[in-house]
Amino acid sequence: MARPQTIQIFLPDGNPRGVRIAEITNRTVKAILFPRNQFDYILTRSELSNVGFYFLFGESEVGKPLVYIGEAEDCAIRLSQHHRNKDFWNYGIVIISKINAFTKTHVKYLEHIAIKMVQDVNRWQLENGVNTNMPFVTESMEADMLDCFETTKILLSALGFPLFDSISRDNNRVSQDIYKMKSKEAFAEGNLIDDGFVVYKGSKAVKDTLPSCHKYMIDLRNKLIDSGTLSLDGNVYTFTEDYIFSSPSTAGGVVSGRPTNGWKTWKNMNGKTLDEIKRENLI
């Protein structure tokens, strides 16, 4: 179960959309987020000339958003190299120790488990070319690093990058929490989450769209087909992985191939719509 947390976010230049330095005040790590257009400014910050591990985030025209994960003994030098040589990214987040406790071994270990979890969660497409080797750490060091990693997960999510927040269907999830939709040959299952509406792997979408289908839905379907998220399976498309849509209606439109009010068409095992369930929760 998640527990209450207090996160402090400092805006060094006063710009709420610029550089943000986040920390849980009683923890030993902090996260420095910066947009790429402020790269020259971020290099003037002393925090970056430190041992740490980092994330570079970008968008993809086809498929999931992109992330590159790395580590360095001097993050400023390493990020300067990426600024010259990597084009895809538009935001960076650097994780450092507030008490300068990280060593090369620490950050290589954190990089390794971060890469593995990104692959397991599968919300972002990993831009790293090869997997890293896990360095040897003592049992006590591993416990400390896992604690640092848990803090990192919270800070990344709070800054708008829920990289490690799983969206997969939990086999232990109560069936009432799963919403279903049927349309001709289509049959899909999903759930409302913080980021939108997730349609689960294995769901079926109709093969052809109706003339009334909005262009943005057609474009999105084509994008999912091009990326392999939707795979033709006879007379339907099958979701090859979990996919997050911006809303239940967009999810429903892609599944059914026509405009739809997802709040009315997605229903739980008792036949209640999303709209009915959410209104009941407000009573």
Side-chain angles (χ1 to χ4, degrees):
M1 290 290 292
R3 59 185 179 80
Q5 303 276 357
T6 298
I7 296 176
Q8 174 180 288
I9 298 179
F10 174 59
L11 310 176
D13 61 356
N15 178 5
R17 295 182 61 86
V19 175
R20 281 161 276 174
I21 302 175
E23 60 182 289
I24 299 175
T25 52
N26 63 345
R27 298 299 181 93
T28 61
V29 300
K30 68 169 62 175
I32 303 102
L33 177 147
F34 59 94
R36 191 168 185 172
N37 65 356
Q38 294 197 27
F39 189 75
D40 290 341
Y41 168 71
I42 199 66
L43 287 182
T44 68
R45 302 285 308 181
S46 61
E47 293 97 335
L48 257 67
S49 298
N50 211 325
V51 181
F53 68 117
Y54 57 85
F55 305 83
L56 304 178
F57 296 98
E59 296 297 326
S60 171
E61 293 183 3
V62 177
K64 297 185 287 290
L66 308 174
V67 64
Y68 178 90
I69 303 172
E71 52 78 24
E73 293 182 270
D74 187 319
C75 289
I77 293 176
R78 183 65 55 81
L79 288 170
S80 294
Q81 296 169 350
H82 292 325
H83 187 53
R84 293 191 300 269
N85 301 325
K86 294 187 182 298
D87 294 330
F88 78 92
W89 64 282
N90 48 34
Y91 279 94
I93 296 180
V94 178
I95 307 296
I96 63 168
S97 167
K98 293 191 290 187
I99 57 175
N100 298 321
F102 282 165
T103 66
K104 181 72 170 179
T105 300
H106 290 144
V107 294
K108 284 188 72 65
Y109 178 83
L110 289 166
E111 175 199 39
H112 177 84
I113 61 174
I115 288 173
K116 184 178 185 304
M117 184 166 286
V118 166
Q119 293 171 326
D120 292 342
V121 172
N122 198 31
R123 291 187 66 159
W124 261 258
Q125 179 180 324
L126 191 65
E127 279 291 286
N128 294 63
V130 294
N131 289 334
T132 60
N133 295 320
M134 179 182 286
F136 171 78
V137 294
T138 64
E139 185 177 6
S140 61
M141 183 186 294
E142 182 178 39
D144 288 343
M145 289 303 98
L146 291 176
D147 185 67
C148 289
F149 187 72
E150 287 300 313
T151 303
T152 298
K153 288 167 56 177
I154 295 168
L155 293 177
L156 285 175
S157 190
L159 290 170
F161 296 92
L163 193 61
F164 305 112
D165 296 357
S166 176
I167 59 171
S168 63
R169 180 171 180 167
D170 186 347
N171 291 331
N172 296 320
R173 184 184 295 279
V174 178
S175 297
Q176 288 175 295
D177 293 337
I178 304 298
Y179 294 89
K180 302 180 180 182
M181 178 181 177
K182 295 181 180 181
S183 176
K184 294 185 179 179
E185 301 89 357
F187 177 77
E189 295 183 322
N191 195 23
L192 191 67
I193 62 173
D194 293 339
D195 300 332
F197 192 90
V198 57
V199 174
Y200 292 126
K201 177 180 178 180
S203 294
K204 309 293 184 182
V206 297
K207 180 180 177 182
D208 300 311
T209 60
L210 295 179
S212 60
C213 190
H214 299 304
K215 182 179 183 301
Y216 81 89
M217 287 186 186
I218 295 174
D219 291 343
L220 179 53
R221 279 171 59 95
N222 289 336
K223 173 182 174 181
L224 296 178
I225 293 168
D226 291 342
S227 68
T229 301
L230 284 178
S231 176
L232 188 60
D233 181 15
N235 62 344
V236 294
Y237 282 106
T238 298
F239 281 80
T240 60
E241 60 186 6
D242 301 326
Y243 188 82
I244 303 173
F245 292 91
S246 59
S247 70
S249 295
T250 300
V254 169
V255 168
S256 64
R258 59 181 175 82
T260 182
N261 181 348
W263 293 93
K264 301 289 187 180
T265 52
W266 290 100
K267 299 179 181 181
N268 72 1
M269 63 179 295
N270 297 320
K272 290 190 175 182
T273 67
L274 261 174
D275 182 63
E276 290 173 326
I277 296 295
K278 296 307 173 186
R279 280 193 284 111
E280 283 181 0
N281 291 339
L282 293 176
I283 297 175

